[in-house]
PDB file of all heavy atoms in Angstrom:
ATOM      1  N   LEU A  32      13.203  52.262 -13.681  1.00 89.00           N
ATOM      2  CA  LEU A  32      13.771  52.340 -15.020  1.00 89.00           C
ATOM      3  C   LEU A  32      12.741  52.818 -16.041  1.00 89.00           C
ATOM      4  O   LEU A  32      13.091  53.547 -16.983  1.00 89.00           O
ATOM      5  CB  LEU A  32      14.338  50.981 -15.439  1.00 89.00           C
ATOM      6  CG  LEU A  32      15.703  50.630 -14.826  1.00 89.00           C
ATOM      7  CD1 LEU A  32      16.125  49.231 -15.224  1.00 89.00           C
ATOM      8  CD2 LEU A  32      16.757  51.624 -15.273  1.00 89.00           C
ATOM      9  N   PHE A  33      11.495  52.406 -15.887  1.00 86.00           N
ATOM     10  CA  PHE A  33      10.456  52.894 -16.796  1.00 86.00           C
ATOM     11  C   PHE A  33      10.319  54.417 -16.674  1.00 86.00           C
ATOM     12  O   PHE A  33      10.105  55.113 -17.666  1.00 86.00           O
ATOM     13  CB  PHE A  33       9.118  52.223 -16.501  1.00 86.00           C
ATOM     14  CG  PHE A  33       9.028  50.791 -16.968  1.00 86.00           C
ATOM     15  CD1 PHE A  33       8.370  49.836 -16.210  1.00 86.00           C
ATOM     16  CD2 PHE A  33       9.588  50.401 -18.176  1.00 86.00           C
ATOM     17  CE1 PHE A  33       8.277  48.523 -16.636  1.00 86.00           C
ATOM     18  CE2 PHE A  33       9.508  49.075 -18.607  1.00 86.00           C
ATOM     19  CZ  PHE A  33       8.847  48.134 -17.839  1.00 86.00           C
ATOM     20  N   LEU A  34      10.424  54.926 -15.456  1.00 84.00           N
ATOM     21  CA  LEU A  34      10.338  56.368 -15.255  1.00 84.00           C
ATOM     22  C   LEU A  34      11.564  57.086 -15.814  1.00 84.00           C
ATOM     23  O   LEU A  34      11.461  58.164 -16.390  1.00 84.00           O
ATOM     24  CB  LEU A  34      10.185  56.682 -13.763  1.00 84.00           C
ATOM     25  CG  LEU A  34       8.826  56.374 -13.143  1.00 84.00           C
ATOM     26  CD1 LEU A  34       8.889  56.520 -11.621  1.00 84.00           C
ATOM     27  CD2 LEU A  34       7.747  57.297 -13.707  1.00 84.00           C
ATOM     28  N   GLU A  35      12.730  56.468 -15.636  1.00 85.00           N
ATOM     29  CA  GLU A  35      13.975  57.120 -16.057  1.00 85.00           C
ATOM     30  C   GLU A  35      14.171  57.064 -17.574  1.00 85.00           C
ATOM     31  O   GLU A  35      14.551  58.061 -18.200  1.00 85.00           O
ATOM     32  CB  GLU A  35      15.158  56.430 -15.371  1.00 85.00           C
ATOM     33  CG  GLU A  35      16.518  56.963 -15.796  1.00 85.00           C
ATOM     34  CD  GLU A  35      17.669  56.143 -15.220  1.00 85.00           C
ATOM     35  OE1 GLU A  35      17.430  55.346 -14.288  1.00 85.00           O
ATOM     36  OE2 GLU A  35      18.793  56.285 -15.730  1.00 85.00           O
ATOM     37  N   ARG A  36      13.906  55.899 -18.187  1.00 82.00           N
ATOM     38  CA  ARG A  36      14.259  55.691 -19.598  1.00 82.00           C
ATOM     39  C   ARG A  36      13.049  55.617 -20.524  1.00 82.00           C
ATOM     40  O   ARG A  36      13.211  55.688 -21.747  1.00 82.00           O
ATOM     41  CB  ARG A  36      15.057  54.392 -19.741  1.00 82.00           C
ATOM     42  CG  ARG A  36      16.316  54.342 -18.883  1.00 82.00           C
ATOM     43  CD  ARG A  36      17.077  53.059 -19.127  1.00 82.00           C
ATOM     44  NE  ARG A  36      18.264  52.967 -18.282  1.00 82.00           N
ATOM     45  CZ  ARG A  36      19.113  51.956 -18.308  1.00 82.00           C
ATOM     46  NH1 ARG A  36      18.915  50.943 -19.161  1.00 82.00           N
ATOM     47  NH2 ARG A  36      20.171  51.933 -17.516  1.00 82.00           N
ATOM     48  N   GLY A  37      11.855  55.435 -19.953  1.00 81.00           N
ATOM     49  CA  GLY A  37      10.690  55.202 -20.800  1.00 81.00           C
ATOM     50  C   GLY A  37      10.509  53.724 -21.059  1.00 81.00           C
ATOM     51  O   GLY A  37      11.439  52.910 -20.887  1.00 81.00           O
ATOM     52  N   TYR A  38       9.329  53.354 -21.480  1.00 80.00           N
ATOM     53  CA  TYR A  38       8.996  51.937 -21.674  1.00 80.00           C
ATOM     54  C   TYR A  38       9.902  51.285 -22.718  1.00 80.00           C
ATOM     55  O   TYR A  38      10.424  50.197 -22.500  1.00 80.00           O
ATOM     56  CB  TYR A  38       7.526  51.811 -22.086  1.00 80.00           C
ATOM     57  CG  TYR A  38       7.108  50.393 -22.400  1.00 80.00           C
ATOM     58  CD1 TYR A  38       6.813  49.502 -21.373  1.00 80.00           C
ATOM     59  CD2 TYR A  38       7.023  49.950 -23.714  1.00 80.00           C
ATOM     60  CE1 TYR A  38       6.442  48.192 -21.658  1.00 80.00           C
ATOM     61  CE2 TYR A  38       6.648  48.656 -24.008  1.00 80.00           C
ATOM     62  CZ  TYR A  38       6.359  47.781 -22.981  1.00 80.00           C
ATOM     63  OH  TYR A  38       5.985  46.482 -23.265  1.00 80.00           O
ATOM     64  N   ARG A  39      10.098  51.925 -23.858  1.00 81.00           N
ATOM     65  CA  ARG A  39      10.818  51.289 -24.951  1.00 81.00           C
ATOM     66  C   ARG A  39      12.310  51.134 -24.660  1.00 81.00           C
ATOM     67  O   ARG A  39      12.928  50.156 -25.087  1.00 81.00           O
ATOM     68  CB  ARG A  39      10.613  52.088 -26.243  1.00 81.00           C
ATOM     69  CG  ARG A  39       9.156  52.132 -26.676  1.00 81.00           C
ATOM     70  CD  ARG A  39       8.996  52.740 -28.059  1.00 81.00           C
ATOM     71  NE  ARG A  39       7.588  52.848 -28.403  1.00 81.00           N
ATOM     72  CZ  ARG A  39       6.837  51.844 -28.822  1.00 81.00           C
ATOM     73  NH1 ARG A  39       7.372  50.640 -28.941  1.00 81.00           N
ATOM     74  NH2 ARG A  39       5.558  52.020 -29.115  1.00 81.00           N
ATOM     75  N   ARG A  40      12.902  52.065 -23.941  1.00 84.00           N
ATOM     76  CA  ARG A  40      14.353  52.035 -23.717  1.00 84.00           C
ATOM     77  C   ARG A  40      14.747  51.246 -22.472  1.00 84.00           C
ATOM     78  O   ARG A  40      15.925  50.957 -22.274  1.00 84.00           O
ATOM     79  CB  ARG A  40      14.893  53.463 -23.620  1.00 84.00           C
ATOM     80  CG  ARG A  40      14.810  54.223 -24.945  1.00 84.00           C
ATOM     81  CD  ARG A  40      15.326  55.652 -24.812  1.00 84.00           C
ATOM     82  NE  ARG A  40      16.695  55.679 -24.322  1.00 84.00           N
ATOM     83  CZ  ARG A  40      17.073  56.306 -23.219  1.00 84.00           C
ATOM     84  NH1 ARG A  40      16.187  56.975 -22.489  1.00 84.00           N
ATOM     85  NH2 ARG A  40      18.334  56.292 -22.841  1.00 84.00           N
ATOM     86  N   ALA A  41      13.775  50.896 -21.631  1.00 86.00           N
ATOM     87  CA  ALA A  41      14.082  50.103 -20.433  1.00 86.00           C
ATOM     88  C   ALA A  41      14.032  48.623 -20.804  1.00 86.00           C
ATOM     89  O   ALA A  41      12.961  48.050 -20.992  1.00 86.00           O
ATOM     90  CB  ALA A  41      13.078  50.408 -19.332  1.00 86.00           C
ATOM     91  N   THR A  42      15.186  48.005 -20.938  1.00 90.00           N
ATOM     92  CA  THR A  42      15.248  46.606 -21.359  1.00 90.00           C
ATOM     93  C   THR A  42      15.116  45.671 -20.159  1.00 90.00           C
ATOM     94  O   THR A  42      15.377  46.055 -19.009  1.00 90.00           O
ATOM     95  CB  THR A  42      16.581  46.308 -22.057  1.00 90.00           C
ATOM     96  OG1 THR A  42      17.647  46.457 -21.099  1.00 90.00           O
ATOM     97  CG2 THR A  42      16.807  47.265 -23.224  1.00 90.00           C
ATOM     98  N   LEU A  43      14.696  44.433 -20.442  1.00 91.00           N
ATOM     99  CA  LEU A  43      14.605  43.444 -19.375  1.00 91.00           C
ATOM    100  C   LEU A  43      15.977  43.161 -18.774  1.00 91.00           C
ATOM    101  O   LEU A  43      16.089  42.910 -17.568  1.00 91.00           O
ATOM    102  CB  LEU A  43      13.989  42.155 -19.908  1.00 91.00           C
ATOM    103  CG  LEU A  43      12.499  42.206 -20.273  1.00 91.00           C
ATOM    104  CD1 LEU A  43      12.002  40.816 -20.674  1.00 91.00           C
ATOM    105  CD2 LEU A  43      11.666  42.741 -19.111  1.00 91.00           C
ATOM    106  N   ARG A  44      17.011  43.201 -19.596  1.00 92.00           N
ATOM    107  CA  ARG A  44      18.364  42.978 -19.075  1.00 92.00           C
ATOM    108  C   ARG A  44      18.742  44.083 -18.072  1.00 92.00           C
ATOM    109  O   ARG A  44      19.352  43.810 -17.032  1.00 92.00           O
ATOM    110  CB  ARG A  44      19.374  42.919 -20.223  1.00 92.00           C
ATOM    111  CG  ARG A  44      20.790  42.584 -19.788  1.00 92.00           C
ATOM    112  CD  ARG A  44      21.679  42.361 -20.996  1.00 92.00           C
ATOM    113  NE  ARG A  44      21.244  41.225 -21.775  1.00 92.00           N
ATOM    114  CZ  ARG A  44      21.557  39.958 -21.493  1.00 92.00           C
ATOM    115  NH1 ARG A  44      22.309  39.687 -20.430  1.00 92.00           N
ATOM    116  NH2 ARG A  44      21.138  38.991 -22.256  1.00 92.00           N
ATOM    117  N   ALA A  45      18.372  45.337 -18.388  1.00 93.00           N
ATOM    118  CA  ALA A  45      18.677  46.433 -17.474  1.00 93.00           C
ATOM    119  C   ALA A  45      17.889  46.297 -16.182  1.00 93.00           C
ATOM    120  O   ALA A  45      18.413  46.553 -15.094  1.00 93.00           O
ATOM    121  CB  ALA A  45      18.362  47.770 -18.149  1.00 93.00           C
ATOM    122  N   VAL A  46      16.628  45.895 -16.288  1.00 92.00           N
ATOM    123  CA  VAL A  46      15.813  45.688 -15.089  1.00 92.00           C
ATOM    124  C   VAL A  46      16.414  44.582 -14.239  1.00 92.00           C
ATOM    125  O   VAL A  46      16.522  44.700 -13.008  1.00 92.00           O
ATOM    126  CB  VAL A  46      14.357  45.349 -15.469  1.00 92.00           C
ATOM    127  CG1 VAL A  46      13.559  44.960 -14.228  1.00 92.00           C
ATOM    128  CG2 VAL A  46      13.691  46.522 -16.168  1.00 92.00           C
ATOM    129  N   ALA A  47      16.819  43.485 -14.881  1.00 92.00           N
ATOM    130  CA  ALA A  47      17.412  42.374 -14.147  1.00 92.00           C
ATOM    131  C   ALA A  47      18.678  42.813 -13.419  1.00 92.00           C
ATOM    132  O   ALA A  47      18.913  42.444 -12.263  1.00 92.00           O
ATOM    133  CB  ALA A  47      17.709  41.222 -15.098  1.00 92.00           C
ATOM    134  N   GLY A  48      19.502  43.616 -14.098  1.00 92.00           N
ATOM    135  CA  GLY A  48      20.716  44.102 -13.459  1.00 92.00           C
ATOM    136  C   GLY A  48      20.414  44.973 -12.256  1.00 92.00           C
ATOM    137  O   GLY A  48      21.069  44.859 -11.207  1.00 92.00           O
ATOM    138  N   ALA A  49      19.420  45.846 -12.387  1.00 92.00           N
ATOM    139  CA  ALA A  49      19.065  46.726 -11.272  1.00 92.00           C
ATOM    140  C   ALA A  49      18.471  45.940 -10.105  1.00 92.00           C
ATOM    141  O   ALA A  49      18.656  46.306  -8.936  1.00 92.00           O
ATOM    142  CB  ALA A  49      18.080  47.787 -11.745  1.00 92.00           C
ATOM    143  N   ALA A  50      17.752  44.858 -10.421  1.00 90.00           N
ATOM    144  CA  ALA A  50      17.127  44.055  -9.360  1.00 90.00           C
ATOM    145  C   ALA A  50      18.053  42.975  -8.825  1.00 90.00           C
ATOM    146  O   ALA A  50      17.749  42.350  -7.803  1.00 90.00           O
ATOM    147  CB  ALA A  50      15.838  43.410  -9.887  1.00 90.00           C
ATOM    148  N   GLY A  51      19.178  42.747  -9.513  1.00 90.00           N
ATOM    149  CA  GLY A  51      20.126  41.729  -9.076  1.00 90.00           C
ATOM    150  C   GLY A  51      19.628  40.314  -9.299  1.00 90.00           C
ATOM    151  O   GLY A  51      19.887  39.421  -8.480  1.00 90.00           O
ATOM    152  N   VAL A  52      18.924  40.094 -10.427  1.00 91.00           N
ATOM    153  CA  VAL A  52      18.405  38.766 -10.736  1.00 91.00           C
ATOM    154  C   VAL A  52      18.779  38.405 -12.164  1.00 91.00           C
ATOM    155  O   VAL A  52      19.211  39.255 -12.951  1.00 91.00           O
ATOM    156  CB  VAL A  52      16.866  38.701 -10.577  1.00 91.00           C
ATOM    157  CG1 VAL A  52      16.462  39.041  -9.141  1.00 91.00           C
ATOM    158  CG2 VAL A  52      16.168  39.631 -11.556  1.00 91.00           C
ATOM    159  N   ASP A  53      18.600  37.136 -12.495  1.00 91.00           N
ATOM    160  CA  ASP A  53      18.823  36.683 -13.861  1.00 91.00           C
ATOM    161  C   ASP A  53      17.666  37.140 -14.743  1.00 91.00           C
ATOM    162  O   ASP A  53      16.505  37.079 -14.328  1.00 91.00           O
ATOM    163  CB  ASP A  53      18.909  35.150 -13.872  1.00 91.00           C
ATOM    164  CG  ASP A  53      19.387  34.621 -15.209  1.00 91.00           C
ATOM    165  OD1 ASP A  53      18.577  34.659 -16.165  1.00 91.00           O
ATOM    166  OD2 ASP A  53      20.536  34.167 -15.308  1.00 91.00           O
ATOM    167  N   PRO A  54      17.931  37.609 -15.966  1.00 89.00           N
ATOM    168  CA  PRO A  54      16.844  38.037 -16.848  1.00 89.00           C
ATOM    169  C   PRO A  54      15.789  36.959 -17.069  1.00 89.00           C
ATOM    170  O   PRO A  54      14.601  37.266 -17.248  1.00 89.00           O
ATOM    171  CB  PRO A  54      17.564  38.394 -18.156  1.00 89.00           C
ATOM    172  CG  PRO A  54      18.950  38.762 -17.736  1.00 89.00           C
ATOM    173  CD  PRO A  54      19.265  37.875 -16.566  1.00 89.00           C
ATOM    174  N   ALA A  55      16.212  35.696 -17.062  1.00 90.00           N
ATOM    175  CA  ALA A  55      15.255  34.605 -17.266  1.00 90.00           C
ATOM    176  C   ALA A  55      14.211  34.572 -16.158  1.00 90.00           C
ATOM    177  O   ALA A  55      13.078  34.128 -16.375  1.00 90.00           O
ATOM    178  CB  ALA A  55      15.987  33.265 -17.341  1.00 90.00           C
ATOM    179  N   LEU A  56      14.580  35.046 -14.972  1.00 90.00           N
ATOM    180  CA  LEU A  56      13.634  35.044 -13.857  1.00 90.00           C
ATOM    181  C   LEU A  56      12.498  36.034 -14.111  1.00 90.00           C
ATOM    182  O   LEU A  56      11.347  35.787 -13.714  1.00 90.00           O
ATOM    183  CB  LEU A  56      14.363  35.397 -12.560  1.00 90.00           C
ATOM    184  CG  LEU A  56      13.598  35.164 -11.252  1.00 90.00           C
ATOM    185  CD1 LEU A  56      13.257  33.692 -11.087  1.00 90.00           C
ATOM    186  CD2 LEU A  56      14.426  35.639 -10.058  1.00 90.00           C
ATOM    187  N   ILE A  57      12.792  37.138 -14.771  1.00 91.00           N
ATOM    188  CA  ILE A  57      11.743  38.104 -15.100  1.00 91.00           C
ATOM    189  C   ILE A  57      10.755  37.484 -16.081  1.00 91.00           C
ATOM    190  O   ILE A  57       9.540  37.598 -15.921  1.00 91.00           O
ATOM    191  CB  ILE A  57      12.353  39.392 -15.682  1.00 91.00           C
ATOM    192  CG1 ILE A  57      13.277  40.047 -14.653  1.00 91.00           C
ATOM    193  CG2 ILE A  57      11.255  40.355 -16.122  1.00 91.00           C
ATOM    194  CD1 ILE A  57      13.934  41.322 -15.152  1.00 91.00           C
TER     195      ILE A  57
END
Side-chain angles (χ1 to χ4, degrees):
L32 282 176
F33 285 142
L34 287 171
E35 176 187 346
R36 303 183 182 181
Y38 176 79
R39 298 189 184 281
R40 292 179 57 238
T42 65
L43 290 185
R44 184 172 297 277
V46 173
V52 300
D53 190 286
L56 192 62
I57 299 179

